[in-house]
Amino acid sequence: METKQENVIATDYADVMQKSYIDYAMSVIISRALPDVRDGLKPVQRRTLYDMYELGIRYDRPYRKCARIVGDTMGKYHPHGDSSIYEALVVMAQDFKKGKILVDGHGNFGSVDGDGAAAMRYTEARLSKISMEMLADIGKDTVDFVPNFDETEKEPEVLPVKVPNLLLNGAEGIAVGMTTSIPPHNFGEVIDGVIAYMKNPDITTEEIMEYIPGPDFPTGGIITNASELANIYETGEGKIKVRAKTVIEKGDNGRTNIVITEIPYTVSGNKTKLVESISGLMKDKVFDEIYDVQDVSSKEGIRIVIEVKKDRDVQNLLNGLYKKTQMEDTYGVNLLAIRDGEPHTFNLKSMIEEFILFQEDLYT
C-alpha cells in the first residue's frame, strides 16, 4: 500500500496561539468593533446603509421589510449573524441613542425604557434624509470599492459622507484590548466647529470648544464636571459626569414632587431600571422621605415623579439619590477610531481635521 508523505511542521504551541490571537484581535478591531474616522461608521453599519441605497429604500420611497434588508446585507456584504446586522440597523433608527437617526424606522424599534425592537419580520425601514447626504456621490467615483467576502460583489471602503458623522452620532464599540466611546454632539455646533477650523487650521482645541462646548446627549441631562471637558477633548480620554435634570413642583396634600425631565445618556434604553432602583430604595426604607415614585413619561418627553413626604429636606434627598442611583452617572470617553487601517486615539481638533482632509479627497 502506498502512504502519502505528509509535511508535518513542528512549531511551538505558544507561537501558534500568539499569532492566531493577534490575527483575531486585529480582525475584531478593524472589521467589526471600531468606526472609521472618515465616515464614523463600523463595517456593519456601512454595509447596511449601502445595501439600502442599492435596493432603492430611500426617504422619499416606501418602507421595506427589515428582514429583506438584513438578508440582502448578509448575503452580499456581511457574512455574520443576522442578529448583529438587525441590531445595528435598530440602533441607527433609535432617536434616544443617536444625535441624528440614519435609518427611518416604521414599527416597534424599542424604547428608552429598555424594550427591545420587534422581530425583523414585523418592522420596516428606509434611509433617513441625512443618510442620503452620506451616500449622495457614491456613484461618481469618489471612494474606492473593494471586493466583498466571496469576491462576487463590490462594496465601498468608506462612504462619501458630507456630514461629520463620527462627532454627530458618536460611537460605542468593544474590540479586543481596546474600546471606543464617542459621545454624540449637536449638529449645528459641529458644523460651526468645522467651519472655524477651515478658516483657521491653526485653531486650538480650546478655541474649537467655543463652537462645540461639549456633547449633546439625546436624553439630555446636565454635565457636572464641565471644567474637565477641555482636558478630555485635548487628550481624547476621560470621564464625563452626567446628572438627571430635575424640577421641584408642588404636589397633592402639601407634599413636594421631584420631577425628572432628562436622564443620563448611560441609562438611555434602561429608564425602567432607574425607576425600579428608586422604588427599591423607597421600599427598603433607605430613603424614608419618599412617599411614592411614578413614571408618567409620554411622547411629550420623560417625566418621572418622586413624591416627597411633608416637611422633608428635598435637597438632601436629591443629593442622596444622585449618590445611590443612576440619576448621576459617569460616561467614559475614549475617542478611538480607525485611520489608515490602524486604531488611533484622536482629540477634538484631529477628528475635525481628518473629516476635512477626507472632504478634500472626495472633491478632488
Side-chain angles (χ1 to χ4, degrees), residues 46-285:
R46 186 180 304 115
R47 287 163 174 168
T48 305
L49 294 175
Y50 177 62
D51 187 75
M52 290 172 78
Y53 178 82
E54 267 200 315
L55 292 172
I57 313 171
R58 301 166 197 184
Y59 73 92
D60 52 355
R61 297 185 188 175
Y63 295 96
R64 296 279 282 279
K65 276 268 189 254
C66 287
R68 169 72 201 275
I69 298 163
V70 170
D72 206 61
T73 305
M74 185 164 60
K76 284 184 184 170
Y77 309 116
H78 199 69
H80 302 287
D82 54 3
S83 60
S84 65
I85 300 169
Y86 185 51
E87 280 163 23
L89 179 77
V90 166
V91 170
M92 289 194 283
Q94 293 177 327
D95 58 3
F96 53 90
K97 289 268 181 79
K98 295 288 179 190
K100 290 280 182 188
I101 55 166
L102 303 180
V103 171
D104 176 8
H106 185 66
N108 174 15
F109 275 80
S111 76
V112 74
D113 284 323
D115 305 310
M120 58 185 156
R121 60 182 178 274
Y122 301 120
T123 54
E124 297 178 332
R126 63 186 177 188
L127 289 172
S128 67
K129 247 181 182 177
I130 202 164
S131 288
M132 292 308 296
E133 292 301 318
M134 298 171 74
L135 288 146
D137 293 337
I138 203 155
K140 298 179 182 175
D141 203 22
T142 47
V143 292
D144 290 335
F145 276 70
V146 294
N148 70 337
F149 61 91
D150 62 359
E151 300 191 4
T152 55
E153 303 271 349
K154 287 279 178 78
E155 61 174 304
E157 190 181 47
V158 63
L159 294 189
V161 300
K162 292 181 180 176
V163 292
N165 179 55
L166 190 57
L167 278 170
L168 172 61
N169 276 324
E172 302 281 330
I174 301 169
V176 178
M178 56 185 73
T179 60
T180 186
S181 186
I182 302 167
H185 293 79
N186 181 279
F187 196 9
E189 290 173 359
V190 171
I191 296 298
D192 289 344
V194 169
I195 293 168
Y197 179 94
M198 289 168 79
K199 286 180 177 173
N200 174 23
D202 296 324
I203 193 169
T204 64
T205 301
E206 208 168 327
E207 287 167 339
I208 292 173
M209 285 183 69
E210 290 173 23
Y211 304 94
I212 309 172
D216 184 13
F217 296 116
T219 54
I222 298 159
I223 293 171
T224 58
N225 62 335
S227 59
E228 293 172 37
L229 285 174
N231 185 53
I232 291 169
Y233 279 135
E234 186 60 65
T235 60
E237 293 176 333
K239 288 179 179 175
I240 296 174
K241 283 183 184 168
V242 190
R243 181 178 279 189
K245 191 173 185 180
T246 57
V247 288
I248 309 297
E249 295 177 0
K250 279 189 177 175
D252 301 331
N253 303 323
R255 287 191 287 267
T256 306
N257 290 348
I258 298 170
V259 181
I260 302 170
T261 56
E262 295 175 10
I263 57 173
Y265 185 58
T266 45
V267 283
S268 69
N270 245 338
K271 177 163 68 71
T272 306
K273 273 192 179 174
L274 174 65
V275 177
E276 284 171 357
S277 69
I278 298 168
S279 297
L281 291 168
M282 175 191 75
K283 286 169 188 167
D284 296 341
K285 300 278 193 290

